[in-house]
Amino acid sequence: MTHLTLLDGRFQLQTQLGTGGMATVWRAHDLERGEDCAIKVLSPQRAQNSDLLGRFLQEATTMSELEHPHLLSVFDLHVDHKKNEDVTFIV
């Protein structure tokens, strides 16, 4: 089975968990760390809007500062430049 990938194949997107107005959340596997994770991918159309991109980046920053047993930890924020299209995502 072929998986969609990010970062030159490091993250294999496996199952789409949900879609909202700005982004899609995927269950993924991080081959470098050997762990499953969730990845929130900003819609390419939204990434071109500087206000929405700023909100997405602020969300990542705010989430990375929170610690609670019922919240996911933020491991990283990426902008992947491929095929002249920026893909922005939170791991």
Side-chain angles (χ1 to χ4, degrees):
M1 176 195 317
T2 302
H3 292 285
L4 297 171
T5 63
L6 295 172
L7 283 182
D8 295 323
R10 174 181 171 182
F11 296 104
Q12 292 182 337
L13 304 182
Q14 298 175 335
T15 306
Q16 184 176 320
L17 300 175
T19 300
M22 279 183 54
T24 301
V25 178
W26 293 84
R27 178 179 182 203
H29 186 73
D30 181 345
L31 294 174
E32 186 175 291
R33 297 178 60 211
E35 297 179 348
D36 285 345
C37 59
I39 296 182
K40 186 173 187 177
V41 181
L42 181 63
S43 162
Q45 297 83 7
R46 302 292 188 238
Q48 295 180 11
N49 179 316
S50 60
D51 290 336
L52 293 177
L53 177 60
R55 286 177 46 196
F56 189 80
L57 298 175
Q58 182 60 49
E59 175 185 342
T61 300
T62 301
M63 288 174 55
S64 70
E65 295 171 352
L66 299 174
E67 289 186 37
H68 190 276
H70 297 287
L71 296 176
L72 295 174
S73 298
V74 173
F75 290 105
D76 219 333
L77 171 68
H78 291 277
V79 177
D80 195 5
H81 302 278
K82 293 218 176 187
K83 298 179 187 172
N84 298 322
E85 182 178 302
D86 291 340
V87 179
T88 304
F89 58 97
I90 301 169
V91 181

